[in-house]
């Protein structure tokens, strides 16, 4: 069996970091500071191996069911292979302007719904400002996901 390439090793490192953080969240536990640092380190390593790969992996985990399933059901070389394939599928998806437009609209509606739940009372000012900022950010980078 051939050894993993540098990129595949970075994918594996990032997948393990995501998996550990996801396990905490599924158990209704906070993500530990060491896990957050591991995610940052693995993201840097992944982007050094192939620029933009970390955002692509996050997007694949969110939108590609096979990648999301691979995180919880696979391990090792098999998980790495599915993550790489998922990132390839996601790269093709975000190249499609219709997919980008659909995702933009979906995110806009999510933010609108969140904004509606925040009344104008003083206890929601900060949260509402954050949502407004996210909505403004979407308008500055039309159809780009990040």
């Amino acid at each position: 069996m051939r050894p993993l390439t540098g990129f595949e090793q970075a994918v594996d490192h990032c997948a393990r970091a995501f998996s550990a953080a996801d396990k905490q969240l599924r158990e209704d536990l906070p993500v530990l500071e060491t896990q957050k640092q591991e995610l940052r380190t693995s993201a840097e390593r992944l982007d050094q191996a192939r620029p933009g790969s970390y955002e692509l992996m996050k997007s694949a985990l969110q939108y590609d069911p096979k990648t999301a399933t691979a995180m919880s059901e696979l391990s090792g070389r098999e998980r790495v292979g599915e993550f790489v394939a998922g990132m390839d599928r996601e790269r093709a998806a975000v190249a499609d302007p219709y997919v980008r437009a659909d995702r933009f609209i979906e995110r806009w509606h999510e933010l609108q719904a969140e904004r509606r739940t925040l009344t104008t009372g003083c206890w929601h000012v900060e949260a509402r400002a954050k949502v407004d900022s996210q909505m403004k950010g979407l308008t500055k980078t039309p159809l780009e996901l990040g």
Side-chain angles (χ1 to χ4, degrees), residues 15-16 19 22 60-61 64-86 89:
R16 284 185 280 119
S19 184
D22 184 60
L61 282 166
D64 185 64
K66 288 182 181 179
T67 304
T69 300
M71 184 170 70
S72 59
E73 295 182 8
L74 301 177
S75 63
R77 188 176 290 275
E78 194 175 14
R79 179 170 59 190
V80 168
E82 189 52 53
F83 266 60
V84 171
R89 288 188 298 270

Side-chain angles (χ1 to χ4, degrees), residues 19-33:
S19 184
D22 184 60
K23 183 177 183 222
Q24 289 289 105
L25 295 173
R26 282 185 284 124
E27 294 176 3
D28 289 326
L29 297 169
V31 177
L32 303 173
E33 198 54 46

Side-chain angles (χ1 to χ4, degrees), residues 101-120:
D102 286 345
R103 290 181 183 179
F104 177 90
I105 292 167
E106 178 184 329
R107 180 66 181 139
W108 185 267
H109 286 154
E110 288 170 0
L111 289 169
Q112 273 185 324
E114 186 176 344
R115 189 173 192 271
R116 276 193 294 272
T117 65
L118 301 170
T119 63
T120 56

Side-chain angles (χ1 to χ4, degrees), residues 35-109:
Q35 292 170 318
K36 290 177 186 178
Q37 180 55 46
E38 191 62 25
L39 277 168
R40 285 188 293 269
T41 301
S42 67
E44 289 171 10
R45 184 174 170 199
L46 185 60
D47 278 342
Q48 285 173 351
R50 194 174 291 170
S53 291
Y54 179 70
E55 288 300 321
L56 196 57
M57 181 183 280
K58 283 188 349 184
S59 188
L61 282 166
Q62 180 177 357
Y63 293 106
D64 185 64
K66 288 182 181 179
T67 304
T69 300
M71 184 170 70
S72 59
E73 295 182 8
L74 301 177
S75 63
R77 188 176 290 275
E78 194 175 14
R79 179 170 59 190
V80 168
E82 189 52 53
F83 266 60
V84 171
M87 291 165 66
D88 289 342
R89 288 188 298 270
E90 187 59 15
R91 184 178 297 107
V94 296
D96 183 336
Y98 294 108
V99 170
R100 289 195 328 269
D102 286 345
R103 290 181 183 179
F104 177 90
I105 292 167
E106 178 184 329
R107 180 66 181 139
W108 185 267
H109 286 154

Side-chain angles (χ1 to χ4, degrees), residues 6-25:
F7 175 68
E8 290 170 329
Q9 288 174 11
V11 168
D12 184 47
H13 184 203
C14 207
R16 284 185 280 119
F18 267 121
S19 184
D22 184 60
K23 183 177 183 222
Q24 289 289 105
L25 295 173

